[in-house]
Amino acid sequence: MKRTVKYMKWSLFVGLLTLASCEVSELDITEDPNFLTPELSSPDFYITSIQEDFARHLDGDVAGDPNDNFVTGGFQFGDGLSPLGMELTRVMQMSSRDYESTYQDSDVDDEWDNAYRGILKDIRLMTPLAEESGLTRHLGITQFIEAYVISSLVDFFGDVPYSEAVQAPEIVNAVLDSGESVYDAAQALLDQAIVNFSNAATSNPATDLVYNNDYTKWLKAANTLKMKLYLQTRLVDPGAIDAFNAIVASGNYITDTADDLDFNWPGTSAAQPDNRHPRYGLNYVSNGPGDYASNWLMNDMQVNGDPRLRYYFYRQTNEVPGVEIAPDEQTLRCSLQTPPAHYTSGGFTFCNLPNGYWGRDHGDDEGTPPDGPLRTTWGVYPAGGSFDDGSFRTVAQPTDPTSFGGGGVGVTPILNAFMVDFWRAEIALAQGNVAAAQGFMEAGMIKQIAKVQSFASLDANADLSFEPSSADVTDFINAEVTAFSAATGDDQWNILAENYFIAHYGNGIETYNFYRRTGFPNSLQPNREPSPGSFPRSMFYPNQAVTSNSNITQKSSLAVQVFWDNNPAGPSFPLSN
């Protein structure tokens, strides 16, 4: 995102504070001051707020930040849906031994709140203002965002309130709509958005944080989101693949990285407002990273010589207890432990990795030792952290928390050209067209690796001589393609799936959905706990939703499947662990 956007955001933020400070003696205390109201706003302010809340719907927020929404003041909410999906698919580390204690009903209150009281409510308030002024492109952007948000709620929760939700203030117990009907509503919204994006006889938003008012790109994004929804329903809708291919035939979808739909975090500001990538804000702090990196992901990438390793992860040390140095109970207790039997029998990595990659296994819940200056953390992609040039500096920056690496000028990948290639590879492999699947997988890898490498320049202090060469990249891709071609059956699905997961680093919605659609890769590191309970096929409804809405009954378990997931639920299915 161009640096000028940062100053536009600040201008909007200051302007809203000025408006909010007027007539304070007449402030209606029944109105939540953390949300925009028609009296204090305009369609342009709404668009800016909705777009940023949309990014936080995916990627979450910096914990404890009182100014979560860097445009409007906002309210505090949680990690977003993407980190949930990344944890479940081992792209991020999950730090609890069983699933139901990890993903409780209270853990998703904030994500639900942001979707309904934040994004959808703001859209309902903005819509009549935009309609009155004929601002069709404002409407198109919010229709696109609404379609993505409501479909993602279905992906994580199943049946959700929609037809009566945020529609009228007198409806306090909105009914649950079937996931299928919500998906249908999302497709209808996208059809409307496409019409509105095509209307040039209208004023554009003052600030479009996504495409800078390029509606050719917005049209492609809308069609690409339609493709994503068709892909999601391919197991339950016989016509879904034909509808997907019809858009492919039109050519009017995201095929080039230049048209990618991303949210680009401006970065550089740590407070009032914090506009850095959320994972940067949680990890580049004075006491060291808050996240643990996934041992499964780092090991897979290191073993296979993946050229993205130094971009994805930044090491603070080159010595891990039990590998380069003696085991240490204080900083890495598991370095003194015997691997669980199911790890040994399956040949899975346990506890520690070589070359300074200091992470944790799936389901390692051994508390928080004094390892903040030692943990491997997020790199320059996608979080805007540091490129790993082997300098092994600590990321603690107590005096200037924005100065390390890229300063949080990261990206939330939402709909990208490489994703479409992987979708097409999945469909081709499911239909038995191995050659086509191989070609699409290769095309997706080429695009995504090039995108990742373009982020290295964000870290002005890094020694980029450590970047992999073009020959390194070509050799890696060729090796994966050759392995795919030589494999059969499940092994082909595992190779596609592992590359899918690695490419989607930063978007756990896509990895979680892929895992449930296909059941692959079945080579994932299991939970530390041999019997961790049912793998979450959906999340529990939020506690606040169940207690405040008599039409919502809590699920019996996390094993309840969403409407498009009709994969077997038996113990032989790979998702059982």
Side-chain angles (χ1 to χ4, degrees):
M1 182 176 297
K2 295 183 176 63
R3 191 169 298 276
T4 53
V5 172
K6 172 189 171 185
Y7 299 106
M8 296 175 74
K9 288 172 173 289
W10 270 102
S11 177
L12 287 167
F13 180 74
V14 172
L16 284 171
L17 286 180
T18 303
L19 284 169
S21 65
C22 298
E23 304 292 342
V24 292
S25 61
E26 298 179 9
L27 181 65
D28 182 355
I29 61 173
T30 64
E31 293 288 347
D32 189 333
N34 292 324
F35 295 91
L36 289 168
T37 62
E39 294 80 10
L40 299 178
S41 192
S42 72
D44 282 335
F45 285 155
Y46 275 115
I47 283 290
T48 309
S49 175
I50 290 165
Q51 287 186 333
E52 195 244 333
D53 280 349
F54 174 45
R56 296 198 185 278
H57 174 71
L58 277 70
D59 242 338
D61 206 356
V62 178
D65 176 14
N67 296 289
D68 294 329
N69 183 313
F70 61 70
V71 176
T72 63
F75 65 99
Q76 183 171 325
F77 51 93
D79 277 345
L81 297 182
S82 184
L84 292 178
M86 285 192 282
E87 289 175 3
L88 287 166
T89 53
R90 284 63 159 177
V91 176
M92 285 177 63
Q93 192 265 345
M94 187 190 81
S95 56
S96 184
R97 296 298 283 265
D98 67 273
Y99 289 115
E100 290 205 0
S101 66
T102 305
Y103 303 103
Q104 299 180 16
D105 56 359
S106 59
D107 294 330
V108 288
D109 278 344
D110 293 333
E111 286 79 5
W112 186 275
D113 201 32
N114 178 50
Y116 283 102
R117 286 206 308 137
I119 298 169
L120 295 181
K121 183 177 180 181
D122 278 356
I123 290 174
R124 294 295 175 271
L125 292 173
M126 189 213 77
T127 296
L129 301 177
E131 289 176 339
E132 182 180 358
S133 301
L135 302 176
T136 54
R137 285 177 167 170
H138 288 67
L139 294 170
I141 291 172
T142 59
Q143 287 159 344
F144 174 93
I145 290 174
E146 182 171 337
Y148 194 108
V149 169
I150 63 175
S151 62
S152 66
L153 289 172
V154 171
D155 294 343
F156 278 75
F157 298 103
D159 298 343
V160 294
Y162 180 64
S163 61
E164 294 181 353
V166 207
Q167 299 287 355
E170 65 271 13
I171 299 177
V172 295
N173 290 302
V175 298
L176 287 176
D177 294 291
S178 70
E180 186 174 9
S181 69
V182 175
Y183 256 53
D184 289 342
Q187 290 281 17
L189 282 166
L190 291 169
D191 289 337
Q192 296 170 27
I194 288 168
V195 172
N196 286 328
F197 290 148
S198 302
N199 184 358
T202 183
S203 298
N204 293 332
T207 301
D208 171 13
L209 301 177
V210 177
Y211 278 138
N212 196 27
N213 287 317
D214 186 332
Y215 292 92
T216 299
K217 293 184 178 182
W218 272 115
L219 279 167
K220 291 179 180 180
N223 280 318
T224 305
L225 182 51
K226 288 178 72 70
M227 294 170 70
K228 168 182 156 70
L229 299 182
Y230 288 133
L231 177 71
Q232 282 302 110
T233 59
R234 71 174 179 83
L235 299 179
V236 296
D237 179 2
I241 299 305
D242 288 340
F244 180 101
N245 287 332
I247 298 176
V248 172
S250 75
N252 195 15
Y253 61 99
I254 298 173
T255 60
D256 191 291
T257 301
D259 296 331
D260 283 355
L261 190 152
D262 294 325
F263 190 87
N264 295 280
W265 298 89
T268 73
S269 176
Q272 298 185 357
D274 189 333
N275 59 13
R276 303 169 298 167
H277 190 288
R279 306 326 293 183
Y280 184 96
L282 288 165
N283 289 280
Y284 285 77
V285 293
S286 59
N287 58 341
D291 293 329
Y292 279 100
S294 162
N295 273 350
W296 173 81
L297 183 61
M298 291 192 296
N299 180 70
D300 188 275
M301 295 179 72
Q302 189 175 184
V303 167
N304 292 325
D306 196 304
R308 293 164 287 195
L309 190 61
R310 289 180 182 267
Y311 302 86
Y312 281 14
F313 300 105
Y314 181 77
R315 293 168 295 169
Q316 298 186 91
T317 181
N318 61 345
E319 298 177 325
V320 179
V323 186
E324 289 87 7
I325 56 177
D328 184 348
E329 182 176 11
Q330 185 179 23
T331 59
L332 195 64
R333 187 193 312 173
C334 62
S335 64
L336 294 166
Q337 298 172 352
T338 301
H342 62 297
Y343 271 51
T344 302
S345 62
F348 296 103
T349 184
F350 173 74
C351 180
N352 43 23
L353 303 175
N355 301 315
Y357 289 99
W358 189 306
R360 275 193 172 180
D361 299 327
H362 186 66
D364 183 339
D365 64 344
E366 293 183 343
T368 307
D371 62 353
L374 301 167
R375 300 179 197 174
T376 297
T377 192
W378 294 75
V380 71
Y381 180 91
S386 185
F387 174 79
D388 187 351
D389 60 2
S391 56
F392 305 113
R393 296 175 294 158
T394 60
V395 300
Q397 297 288 313
T399 57
D400 185 2
T402 66
S403 66
F404 202 96
V409 185
V411 64
T412 295
I414 303 173
L415 292 174
N416 291 174
F418 80 83
M419 295 180 185
V420 177
D421 288 328
F422 274 101
W423 299 344
R424 299 183 70 183
E426 175 188 339
I427 291 172
L429 189 56
Q431 294 177 332
N433 191 340
V434 175
Q438 176 180 309
F440 290 132
M441 183 184 79
E442 182 177 5
M445 292 174 70
I446 291 171
K447 290 175 185 174
Q448 197 270 342
I449 292 174
K451 183 185 182 81
V452 169
Q453 289 188 297
S454 71
F455 277 69
S457 60
L458 292 177
D459 187 351
N461 297 316
D463 180 356
L464 298 185
S465 67
F466 284 86
E467 282 198 276
S469 68
S470 59
D472 293 332
V473 173
T474 300
D475 288 347
F476 169 74
I477 294 174
N478 287 343
E480 292 297 304
V481 169
T482 299
F484 181 87
S485 178
T488 57
D490 286 2
D491 290 337
Q492 281 184 327
W493 276 104
N494 281 333
I495 292 169
L496 174 63
E498 289 183 17
N499 279 291
Y500 190 105
F501 280 24
I502 292 168
H504 286 78
Y505 189 57
N507 189 320
I509 294 176
E510 294 302 319
T511 59
Y512 183 43
N513 287 350
F514 180 94
Y515 196 23
R516 289 177 292 168
R517 282 197 309 269
T518 69
F520 292 97
N522 60 22
S523 53
L524 288 178
Q525 183 189 49
N527 200 305
R528 278 277 194 95
E529 174 62 43
S531 300
S534 298
F535 178 88
R537 305 293 278 268
S538 66
M539 295 290 111
F540 283 126
Y541 288 116
N543 176 267
Q544 66 172 11
V546 174
T547 56
S548 64
N549 187 338
S550 60
N551 284 316
I552 300 179
T553 301
Q554 189 56 272
K555 298 170 186 175
S556 57
S557 75
L558 294 171
V560 176
Q561 294 163 238
V562 302
F563 86 96
W564 51 257
D565 173 11
N566 67 353
N567 277 322
S572 62
F573 193 57
L575 298 180
S576 62
N577 65 358

